[in-house]
């Protein structure tokens, strides 16, 4: 057992430099406005180093309005240098930095107004971030370095824009209450007043440079942003509210080592609430991701899957409601779509999206493609069914494919249309219950080969009230199709048995379950399946 050090804002750096395996530093009450840096500190599996709070508040405490102009100026500097106008290049400017560290637990800390970043990890392994409350910031957590791996983010809350009632929603969820009352409360300015283009627009699309006075570039960040990290990341039981993005992995290393990054990721049991852009977004290459039992309440695009290569995705047992329209009246990015796909894609393995339940007001996919994509046994209903706005495959779904198209013409057509090359690409929709007037007959007649088990009847959800996960259980037992999933090691597992399972996320005994990822079963430092990290 190590020593416990009490630290104050005026001596915290000295206390941290003294830490050895098993030690704990307790940040006592106070405002820690200067960045705290942990460099080359190593605990061990048996004796990690712990940094814990006791009414400590970390960060400069700036509000968005106080940082807005600075954020826009920094984004404009990137634009002037020929890069996308954002603050990504400054993410290492964080309130708490861990660099070249191993076996560190960061627990029970509050972060206020950390622009651009609250917590930043560089070339770290075996880091646990637990029970952090983060207000504001472009990035709640940033991670970089091809040796960064085994990162556990659990029971953390982030309200990027606290101008609404995001923290009230977090409290209700943590108290085990339903949140329909809070969802009817005051949304944030980011959700209702800020135009999407002010945060993420760029000159080639808008014809305008960054507006120093009017833009909101400081919001263009994520709860968890990874830049080319090895992987082994578990993000579990967190709440992300009134934010621009949720979880975002970049993989920008050389092609010779690209397969060594963005591997083995578990995203489980999180709430994504009023997300103006994307909830979950892997880019370029990603391998062996499990996304299960998450709740998504109002998100412009829940799944942005613009990978050039990917495989072994298991997305199941998630529920969501897309009922509220964000942005000011003139905002052109308000309805979104459920899936965002790349223009070209190579599948290194299957992508299973099965037994999820959704209440939507947006198309499933408007354009482009994803190879080896199996969309099975999902239960989907719509808050509104105007075909011009909610057609499952976009309002132009019935446009004829150019006859005799070569590859270039096909890809050009798919630039504005969801692909129809399902057999060639390994795309399958079957066993789904999609309550929309175009399903199944009009979709099939437009050239989309829906499986014969796809139905257009209502799933009959018990309660469609947004924010009630148990309400998205179906009254009727809509038959499911059998599903055996291929695992990364070449073995197989029965995921869905039509004699025992129904369509949708919720079964007779709760959310659908399959075996957890092997890398999580054998996570170093995990005591047992019923422990505090289960």
């Amino acid at each position: 057992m190590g020593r416990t050090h009490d630290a104050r804002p005026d001596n915290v750096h000295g206390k941290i430099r003294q830490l050895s395996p098993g030690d704990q530093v307790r940040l006592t009450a106070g405002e820690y406005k200067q960045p705290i840096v942990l460099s080359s500190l190593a605990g061990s599996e048996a004796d990690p180093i712990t940094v814990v709070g006791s009414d400590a508040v970390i960060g400069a405490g700036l509000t968005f309005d106080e940082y807005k102009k600075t954020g826009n100026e920094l984004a404009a500097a990137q634009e002037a240098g020929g890069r996308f106008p954002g603050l990504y290049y400054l993410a290492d400017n964080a309130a708490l930095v861990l660099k070249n560290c191993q076996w560190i637990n960061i627990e029970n800390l509050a972060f206020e107004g950390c622009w651009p970043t609250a917590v930043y990890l560089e070339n770290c392994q075996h880091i646990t971030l637990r029970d952090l409350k983060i207000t504001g910031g472009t990035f709640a957590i940033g991670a970089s370095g091809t040796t960064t791996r085994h990162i556990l983010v659990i029971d953390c809350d982030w309200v990027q824009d606290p101008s609404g009632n995001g923290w009230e929603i977090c409290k209700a969820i943590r108290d085990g209450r339903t949140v329909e009352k809070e969802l009817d409360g005051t949304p944030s300015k980011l959700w209702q007043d800020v135009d999407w283009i002010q945060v993420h627009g760029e000159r080639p699309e808008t014809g305008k440079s960054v507006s120093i006075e009017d833009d909101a570039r400081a919001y263009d960040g994520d709860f968890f942003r990874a830049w080319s990290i090895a992987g082994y990341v578990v993000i579990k039981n967190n709440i992300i509210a009134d934010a621009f993005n949720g979880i975002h992995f970049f993989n920008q290393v050389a092609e010779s080592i690209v397969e060594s990054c963005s591997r083995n990721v578990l995203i489980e049991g999180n709430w994504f609430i009023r997300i103006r852009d994307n909830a979950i977004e892997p880019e370029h290459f990603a391998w062996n991701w499990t996304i299960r039992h998450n709740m998504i309440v109002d998100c412009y695009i829940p799944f942005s899957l613009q990978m050039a290569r990917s495989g072994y995705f298991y997305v199941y047992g998630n529920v969501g409601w897309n009922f509220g329209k964000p942005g000011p009246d003139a905002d052109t990015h308000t309805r979104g779509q459920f899936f965002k796909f790349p223009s070209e894609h190579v599948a290194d393995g299957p992508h299973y999206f099965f037994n999820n339940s959704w209440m939507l007001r947006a198309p499933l996919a408007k354009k482009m493609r994803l190879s080896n994509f199996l969309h099975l046994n999902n239960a989907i209903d719509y808050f509104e069914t105007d075909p011009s706005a909610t057609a499952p495959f976009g309002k132009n779904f019935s446009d004829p494919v150019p006859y005799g198209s070569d590859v270039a013409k096909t890809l050009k057509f798919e630039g504005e249309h969801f692909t129809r090359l399902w057999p060639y690409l390994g795309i399958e929709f079957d066993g789904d219950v999609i309550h929309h007037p175009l399903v199944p007959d009009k979709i099939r007649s437009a050239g989309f080969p829906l499986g014969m088990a796809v139905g257009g009847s209502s799933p009959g959800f018990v309660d469609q009230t947004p924010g009630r996960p148990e309400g998205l259980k179906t009254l009727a037992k809509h038959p499911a199709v059998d599903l055996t999933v291929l695992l990364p090691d070449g073995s197989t597992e029965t995921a869905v048995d039509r004699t025992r399972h129904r369509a949708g996320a919720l079964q007779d005994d709760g959310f659908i379950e399959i075996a957890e990822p092997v890398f999580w079963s054998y996570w170093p430092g995990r005591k047992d399946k019923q422990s505090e990290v289960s």
Side-chain angles (χ1 to χ4, degrees):
M1 185 68 179
R3 301 162 297 168
T4 296
H5 306 261
D6 284 342
R8 305 183 307 272
D10 63 340
N11 68 2
V12 61
H13 296 94
K15 297 291 186 180
I16 284 174
R17 284 193 293 268
Q18 301 172 20
L19 294 176
S20 299
D23 284 357
Q24 178 183 98
V25 61
R26 184 167 55 213
L27 306 188
T28 58
E31 296 181 348
Y32 295 74
K33 292 184 176 293
Q34 297 301 314
I36 299 173
V37 180
L38 283 66
S39 180
S40 301
L41 289 178
S44 67
E45 181 172 356
D47 293 301
I49 291 171
T50 301
V51 179
V52 64
S54 177
D55 297 319
V57 179
I58 299 174
L62 292 175
T63 66
F64 168 77
D65 288 337
E66 291 170 327
Y67 188 76
K68 175 181 176 180
K69 184 177 180 181
T70 298
N72 291 335
E73 289 173 340
L74 294 169
Q78 269 287 83
E79 184 178 60
R83 302 299 299 275
F84 190 93
L87 276 65
Y88 324 115
Y89 69 115
L90 295 169
D92 57 350
N93 184 8
L96 178 62
V97 176
L98 283 73
K99 187 171 184 177
N100 300 321
C101 292
Q102 299 86 36
W103 294 108
I104 308 289
N105 297 337
I106 307 295
E107 302 179 352
N108 192 29
L109 294 175
F111 294 80
E112 291 279 353
C114 305
W115 302 92
T117 309
V119 181
Y120 188 80
L121 314 175
E122 181 178 336
N123 292 323
C124 292
Q125 302 83 39
H126 304 294
I127 307 297
T128 295
L129 306 176
R130 184 192 306 275
D131 194 23
L132 308 183
K133 305 295 186 229
I134 304 172
T135 302
T138 306
F139 306 98
I141 302 162
S144 70
T146 57
T147 63
T148 294
R149 58 173 170 77
H150 285 97
I151 308 300
L152 172 62
V153 182
I154 185 167
D155 295 331
C156 298
D157 300 340
W158 183 43
V159 178
Q160 187 181 30
D161 178 9
S163 63
N165 68 337
W167 280 116
E168 294 176 22
I169 293 173
C170 292
K171 186 177 188 307
I173 293 171
R174 294 298 180 196
D175 289 345
R177 294 185 277 118
T178 58
V179 295
E180 61 269 22
K181 178 181 177 182
E182 285 77 9
L183 290 172
D184 285 335
T186 304
S188 67
K189 293 179 181 177
L190 173 60
W191 177 255
Q192 65 180 354
D193 297 333
V194 177
D195 194 304
W196 185 94
I197 288 175
Q198 292 176 282
V199 182
H200 196 61
E202 60 176 326
R203 188 160 31 192
E205 297 175 349
T206 65
K208 299 178 181 179
S209 300
V210 170
S211 171
I212 302 299
E213 298 301 324
D214 298 329
D215 275 3
R217 300 290 166 162
Y219 283 137
D220 193 3
D222 315 87
F223 170 70
F224 186 90
R225 166 69 72 90
W227 289 271
S228 304
I229 69 173
Y232 290 91
V233 174
V234 175
I235 301 176
K236 183 179 175 71
N237 298 344
N238 305 286
I239 305 172
I240 303 102
D242 284 322
F244 197 69
N245 287 304
I247 298 165
H248 194 172
F249 277 63
F250 275 94
N251 188 349
Q252 298 172 310
V253 297
E255 287 298 319
S256 60
I257 60 170
V258 72
E259 294 181 11
S260 64
C261 294
S262 294
R263 303 172 69 88
N264 302 324
V265 174
L266 171 62
I267 301 171
E268 176 182 19
N270 304 286
W271 285 81
F272 301 85
I273 303 165
R274 295 194 298 236
I275 307 299
R276 283 293 273 118
D277 199 21
N278 307 300
I280 298 171
E281 183 175 12
E283 295 203 38
H284 192 59
F285 175 88
W287 191 89
N288 193 27
W289 283 43
T290 295
I291 304 169
R292 64 186 182 189
H293 306 158
N294 299 284
M295 286 64 65
I296 302 176
V297 187
D298 279 346
C299 177
Y300 180 60
I301 298 176
F303 295 98
S304 181
L305 306 175
Q306 292 189 291
M307 299 89 68
R309 287 174 53 202
S310 58
Y312 302 100
F313 271 61
Y314 309 89
V315 184
Y316 62 91
N318 302 282
V319 297
W321 307 259
N322 172 225
F323 74 102
K325 181 180 178 181
D329 291 340
D331 196 331
T332 57
H333 294 73
T334 60
R335 188 173 294 274
Q337 58 187 316
F338 198 75
F339 295 109
K340 187 176 183 181
F341 292 140
S343 57
E344 297 184 65
H345 177 256
V346 175
D348 286 3
H351 304 78
Y352 301 104
F353 283 74
F354 65 96
N355 289 87
N356 303 284
S357 295
W358 314 112
M359 285 295 306
L360 302 180
R361 57 179 292 277
L364 289 174
K366 293 180 179 178
K367 56 188 178 181
M368 302 188 187
R369 59 169 65 184
L370 191 76
S371 302
N372 205 342
F373 176 72
L374 296 95
H375 189 274
L376 308 172
N377 303 326
N378 300 285
I380 301 171
D381 208 341
Y382 278 80
F383 287 112
E384 55 181 281
T385 57
D386 176 4
S388 67
T390 65
F393 299 132
K395 63 183 180 182
N396 57 1
F397 77 98
S398 61
D399 289 352
V401 179
Y403 178 75
S405 296
D406 58 20
V407 172
K409 289 181 179 178
T410 297
L411 293 177
K412 182 179 180 181
F413 177 79
E414 291 179 2
E416 297 298 332
H417 302 81
F418 184 47
T419 183
R420 289 175 174 77
L421 299 179
W422 291 13
Y424 172 74
L425 295 171
I427 297 173
E428 182 179 351
F429 281 69
D430 206 3
D432 298 314
V433 182
I434 305 174
H435 189 210
H436 194 282
L438 298 176
V439 179
D441 295 341
K442 292 183 179 179
I443 296 294
R444 287 198 185 109
S445 65
F448 296 95
L450 294 176
M452 296 309 297
V454 172
S457 62
S458 171
F461 292 133
V462 172
D463 185 351
Q464 298 179 0
T465 303
R468 282 182 172 264
E470 68 281 1
L472 295 191
K473 184 175 182 178
T474 60
L475 288 167
K477 292 186 177 181
H478 298 280
V481 297
D482 290 332
L483 173 62
T484 298
V485 298
L486 177 66
L487 301 177
D489 63 0
S491 63
T492 60
E493 178 185 349
T494 299
V496 180
D497 180 345
R498 61 184 175 182
T499 66
R500 297 189 298 109
H501 294 106
R502 66 175 77 181
L506 286 140
Q507 307 299 305
D508 289 338
D509 55 352
F511 285 96
I512 190 167
E513 297 269 8
I514 66 173
E516 62 187 20
V518 173
F519 74 87
W520 179 230
S521 299
Y522 294 96
W523 189 267
R526 186 177 181 186
K527 306 306 180 185
D528 59 70
K529 291 184 179 180
Q530 301 303 317
S531 70
E532 58 183 343
V533 298
S534 65

